[in-house]
Amino acid sequence: MTQELVSLTIIMAVAAVSPIVAQLIPGKFIPQTVLLLAAGTALGPYGLGVIEVNDAVKLLNELGMAFLFLLAGYEIDPKRLAGHQGKVGLLTWGITLGLAWLVVTFLPFFTKQGINGVATVIALTTTALGTLMPILKERSLEGTPIGDAIISYGTWGELGPILAMAILLSTRTGWQTMLVLGAFLAICLLCAMLPTKALKTGHRLYRFLTENANTSSQTLMRLTTFLLIFLVTISALFELDAVLGAFAAGFILRYIIPDGSKSLEMKLEGVGYGFLIPVFFVVSGAAINVRAVASRPALLVAFIVMLMLIRAVPVYVALSLDKRKNPLSSHHRVTVALYCTTALPIIVAVTSLAVKVGTMQSDTASTLVAAGAITVFLMPLLGSITYQVADVHPVTAVREIAHTPSDWQTIVREHAQVRALLHHQDRLKRMAETLESLEKQEGLNGLDSRRAELVERARLEIDRQLKELGLDPQLTTQLPHNYRYPKN
């Protein structure tokens, strides 16, 4: 028991220090998740060996992964899945799956590496939506057109592989697999329908649960935790991966509470991101055998490149063909595609399952997990770069500089001003929408009045910047994203 406590103490020390370190890094370009993974690799069995992955830590690791997928499932709006972008996301993921199968099956490289199986195909189609959500929130992308596109395409990048794991990696026959999945679906529907009916009828038990949600009883939090562990247990009894049960729990929770619950969300994020999810990432890092990864650099690089070709390219093409419904600039489409190539939790789950059934070697699994860990750092970094340079219009700036090299400083400064102005306008738009919804609901209180004043100050600031750019605010109330400076 002492060793378990020592390992957990070290893991939680890493979890406590990681956000501080991430904040101190200039530019804040390294997500906390990357630091947790790196610390796990350095301190785990294949590093310094101070973290021992024993049964107690493994259980907390499983619960951390369950909470991660619970929160990922909770972020999914069923209406989004049924909407236009959701359907395009599903079609795109299907194309991604087909491309992955063709590449893994017929490319000699994967055959020589001994990873031309279904597990590798699934790993190449994934998007780590649960890992991306806190990154999107940190970078203020949630609720923006870019953030909405990432969630829509990323939803199927997470849900699709989970379903594929249940169907394609099952050791049962086809009809047995369908029977088990049907039984699991029936249980999930029952879990969703009972609370919904109680809500509609105003059942006394439901009133009791909601009235005591924020007391010491914490009724809703306890029921949510029960739902999660119950479905994860059902998944284990049905010999399905725990990821399926956790994701289903989050999806059911969103179905029951379609408009969300700030109080419940704060508690779930507190338990998840405050305790269990950091354990999952540290233990995932501890599972990476650095020597094995170093001995197969070609596989590491090839897998990351294949992720970008198989996952990012179809997303970019889909966004380009769907410009009428999703009018994003080319830079922003690249941003969405790069974020959707972030992959780790599903890779951890699918490689663990493949190693367990003997279809993949542990050294190969370590390399694929390491590749997934690198994407958690690399893809959001590249995505943030393309997002930041998108509104600067670098190609236009280069042309203008080539035309009048002596004015290069002025040209660069003006393009930077355009980007800053567009950023202010995006924030203003979100603030105004929030304020409008609050006005419709309750009217303005003291806090909302200050927010209204802030919005008005932001409008004045934009008018001032428009005037500095030589534009009339009365005629140009909003600067278009495809704005180009006239050539000198």
Side-chain angles (χ1 to χ4, degrees):
M1 187 66 180
T2 303
Q3 183 57 48
E4 284 88 341
L5 289 173
V6 170
S7 296
L8 184 58
T9 300
I10 296 172
I11 290 172
M12 294 316 300
V14 170
V17 171
S18 292
I20 301 173
V21 175
Q23 183 72 19
L24 293 175
I25 296 174
K28 305 175 187 176
F29 64 93
I30 300 181
Q32 297 177 33
T33 303
V34 175
L35 299 177
L36 295 171
L37 290 164
T41 304
L43 302 176
Y46 300 106
L48 298 177
V50 295
I51 294 177
E52 181 181 319
V53 186
N54 43 53
D55 290 341
V57 173
K58 285 180 181 177
L59 177 60
L60 291 175
N61 173 58
E62 290 291 324
L63 289 175
M65 184 169 65
F67 255 86
L68 182 67
F69 281 97
L70 168 76
L71 292 171
Y74 180 74
E75 292 290 345
I76 296 175
D77 184 356
K79 295 178 182 178
R80 191 191 299 272
L81 289 179
H84 171 77
Q85 204 166 44
K87 293 175 181 177
V88 174
L90 173 59
L91 177 62
T92 304
W93 182 81
I95 293 171
T96 300
L97 182 66
L99 288 174
W101 180 80
L102 289 172
V103 168
V104 172
T105 303
F106 296 104
L107 198 66
F109 175 81
F110 286 97
T111 304
K112 291 178 181 178
Q113 297 290 333
I115 54 170
N116 56 338
V118 176
T120 308
V121 173
I122 295 174
L124 285 168
T125 67
T126 180
T127 296
L129 184 62
T131 306
L132 280 176
M133 288 310 302
I135 297 175
L136 297 180
K137 291 177 182 178
E138 289 172 9
R139 299 179 177 178
S140 301
L141 289 175
E142 191 179 28
T144 66
I146 293 174
D148 290 343
I150 293 170
I151 293 174
S152 294
Y153 285 88
T155 293
W156 286 109
E158 190 133 58
L159 180 57
I162 289 172
L163 295 174
M165 285 173 61
I167 297 171
L168 302 178
L169 294 180
S170 174
T171 56
R172 304 181 182 91
T173 60
W175 69 269
Q176 289 175 328
T177 300
M178 292 297 108
L179 186 63
V180 168
L181 287 176
F184 181 79
L185 177 61
I187 293 173
C188 290
L189 290 174
L190 186 64
C191 291
M193 296 306 297
L194 288 178
T196 305
K197 286 192 174 182
L199 173 62
K200 290 181 179 178
T201 58
H203 195 274
R204 185 183 303 172
L205 176 60
Y206 180 82
R207 292 199 302 272
F208 170 80
L209 293 174
T210 53
E211 289 169 0
N212 289 273
N214 296 314
T215 67
S216 58
S217 299
Q218 292 293 320
T219 48
L220 290 182
M221 182 64 186
R222 293 184 187 185
L223 278 175
T224 301
T225 307
F226 166 72
L227 174 66
L228 171 64
I229 296 177
F230 172 70
L231 290 179
V232 168
T233 303
I234 293 296
S235 299
L237 292 174
F238 285 177
E239 296 182 3
L240 299 170
D241 197 272
V243 167
L244 180 61
F247 199 84
F251 196 76
I252 290 170
L253 188 62
R254 171 59 73 179
Y255 177 79
I256 297 171
I257 316 174
D259 297 326
S261 169
K262 291 295 181 183
S263 175
L264 181 60
E265 289 166 18
M266 288 180 63
K267 295 168 188 173
L268 290 173
E269 290 179 355
V271 174
Y273 294 118
F275 177 33
L276 294 171
I277 294 175
V279 174
F280 166 70
F281 283 119
V282 173
V283 174
S284 296
I288 297 175
N289 186 339
V290 180
R291 292 184 180 85
V293 175
S295 66
R296 308 180 75 176
L299 176 59
L300 180 72
V301 174
F303 191 79
I304 295 174
V305 171
M306 285 298 106
L307 271 172
M308 296 184 70
L309 293 176
I310 292 173
R311 184 66 183 141
V313 172
V315 171
Y316 178 84
V317 172
L319 286 168
S320 300
L321 295 176
D322 196 35
K323 282 199 298 184
R324 183 171 296 179
K325 293 285 186 178
N326 298 290
L328 296 176
S329 67
S330 59
H331 290 83
H332 288 161
R333 294 198 295 272
V334 172
T335 299
V336 173
L338 288 170
Y339 272 103
C340 286
T341 314
T342 304
L344 179 67
I346 291 291
I347 294 179
V348 173
V350 74
T351 54
S352 299
L353 186 59
V355 170
K356 189 182 297 183
V357 299
T359 58
M360 184 179 291
Q361 296 179 353
S362 59
D363 288 355
T364 303
S366 284
T367 305
L368 299 190
V369 170
I374 291 173
T375 65
V376 175
F377 163 70
L378 183 62
M379 300 309 169
L381 174 63
L382 295 176
S384 67
I385 292 173
T386 58
Y387 178 71
Q388 290 175 15
V389 303
D391 297 324
V392 180
H393 305 298
V395 175
T396 305
V398 170
R399 289 175 180 170
E400 292 173 5
I401 292 171
H403 185 260
T404 53
S406 59
D407 293 338
W408 71 270
Q409 290 181 321
T410 303
I411 294 170
V412 170
R413 184 175 64 253
E414 288 177 343
H415 279 260
Q417 283 182 328
V418 170
R419 180 192 171 278
L421 182 57
L422 288 171
H423 180 66
H424 282 307
Q425 287 186 325
D426 286 339
R427 292 184 62 187
L428 174 62
K429 183 180 179 181
R430 293 198 296 272
M431 290 168 61
E433 289 174 351
T434 303
L435 188 63
E436 184 180 353
S437 65
L438 288 171
E439 288 175 342
K440 290 180 180 179
Q441 291 175 5
E442 303 173 351
L444 291 175
N445 54 30
L447 177 62
D448 297 329
S449 297
R450 288 193 292 273
R451 295 179 68 180
E453 182 183 352
L454 185 60
V455 170
E456 183 59 30
R457 287 171 59 188
R459 288 195 180 111
L460 292 174
E461 174 64 16
I462 288 177
D463 287 349
R464 185 187 67 79
Q465 292 192 33
L466 284 169
K467 290 177 181 177
E468 285 185 0
L469 294 173
L471 300 172
D472 185 355
Q474 301 298 323
L475 301 175
T476 312
T477 56
Q478 180 159 351
L479 195 64
H481 278 260
N482 61 352
Y483 177 82
R484 296 290 191 277
Y485 278 98
K487 290 185 178 181
N488 295 318

